[in-house]
Each structure stands twice: as structure tokens, then as C-alpha cells.
Amino acid sequence: MTEEKKTNQNIEETEENDDLKVVMPEANRVVMEPEVFKEQPDYLKVFANFYIAHFDGRDLEIMNLYDTDHNIVDINNYLRNNIHFPRKTLVKHVLQWHDYNFNNLLDQMKKTEDIDPESMVTYEDWDKWYEKRRSEIQNALS
């Protein structure tokens, strides 16, 4: 085949392909900005971690003593809906949306207990307080 015939054949094939060419529109892409998390104090992160551990164990009766404004309902609803997150992520997320609920609980504890939540910066501090508080309740089952 001569060079001229090859060129003419390629042109004819191209014209046939143009008739069948499918044009796909460019997808509309939306990029969401990553969520910016508020910086939380360490004592609040530790308390949220402690709270979630007791939530998982269905052991919040002591916390209920300090809930005057139904803060536990708000926190627990959020936790139930997002419990699939790993604990570290869940602490960060629950504090993003419900830090005021945790602070309300801690404020009530300050009023009725002789504790300073800001000085309780380890899980063990909260665990000791919780067990001490539980032992003070008469007729406790645990």
C-alpha cells in the first residue's frame, strides 16, 4: 500500500470514529475543607476519655448525680451515634461538639464535691475519685 493510500484510509477511519465519539462531561468536584478541631485542655480530654470508658461499661450512675441540666443525655446520644470511632478519635469529636456539656458536669462537681477537675489530669485520678465516690453511697451493689 502506498503512503498516500494509507493516509487516505486513516482519514476515513478518523471521520467514522468522530461520528461515534462519546464526549463525557467533566465531573463537578467539591473539595471539603478538613474540620478544624478546637484545642481542648488536657484535663477535659482525660475526663472525656474516662466518661466514654464508663459509658461503654454502662456505669454512669455516679455521673448522673451531677447532671442537673440533662448534659448526659446530649453526650450519650452523640456517643451512641458515633461509637464506631476509635476512642482517641471519639474523644476529639465529642469534645468538638459537646465540650460545654462536659464542662457543665465538671462545674457541678466543683460545687458539690471537694475536687478540682483541672488538677485531675490522669485517668487514674478520675478512677480513684469514682471508686471513692461509689464506696460512699450506701447500699451500693458494686
Side-chain angles (χ1 to χ4, degrees), residues 12-22:
E12 288 174 11
E13 287 176 4
T14 305
E15 288 174 358
E16 288 176 14
N17 289 341
D18 283 344
D19 292 340
L20 300 174
K21 189 175 181 181
V22 176

Side-chain angles (χ1 to χ4, degrees), residues 53-78:
H54 282 269
F55 172 83
D56 289 343
R58 296 177 178 18
D59 183 24
L60 292 172
E61 54 272 348
I62 301 295
M63 295 296 175
N64 195 40
L65 299 173
Y66 306 101
D67 188 19
T68 57
D69 296 322
H70 308 291
N71 294 294
I72 287 178
V73 171
D74 292 339
I75 295 169
N76 290 357
N77 280 334
Y78 186 85

Side-chain angles (χ1 to χ4, degrees), residues 26-135:
E26 186 64 31
N28 292 331
R29 300 182 192 274
V30 176
V31 178
M32 292 181 61
E33 295 296 321
E35 187 170 6
V36 177
F37 289 92
K38 298 181 247 181
E39 187 59 37
Q40 302 290 352
D42 287 339
Y43 75 90
L44 194 56
K45 291 182 218 175
V46 170
F47 179 68
N49 185 32
F50 175 79
Y51 183 96
I52 293 169
H54 282 269
F55 172 83
D56 289 343
R58 296 177 178 18
D59 183 24
L60 292 172
E61 54 272 348
I62 301 295
M63 295 296 175
N64 195 40
L65 299 173
Y66 306 101
D67 188 19
T68 57
D69 296 322
H70 308 291
N71 294 294
I72 287 178
V73 171
D74 292 339
I75 295 169
N76 290 357
N77 280 334
Y78 186 85
L79 293 177
R80 264 191 297 284
N81 291 330
N82 296 285
I83 203 66
H84 60 278
F85 284 119
R87 174 80 58 84
K88 188 175 182 179
T89 304
L90 187 57
V91 166
K92 187 167 52 168
H93 282 254
V94 76
L95 288 176
Q96 178 75 357
W97 302 107
H98 293 282
D99 58 340
Y100 64 94
N101 292 115
F102 284 105
N103 279 317
N104 289 343
L105 284 173
L106 292 174
D107 288 343
Q108 191 62 32
M109 286 178 189
K110 282 184 199 177
K111 291 178 188 175
T112 58
E113 292 285 321
D114 189 23
I115 64 167
D116 178 20
E118 294 177 20
S119 68
M120 299 177 75
V121 292
T122 66
Y123 188 94
E124 290 75 25
D125 291 340
W126 282 108
D127 200 39
K128 287 176 189 173
W129 170 81
Y130 203 77
E131 289 305 317
K132 179 179 179 265
R133 186 65 179 93
R134 181 192 306 259
S135 69

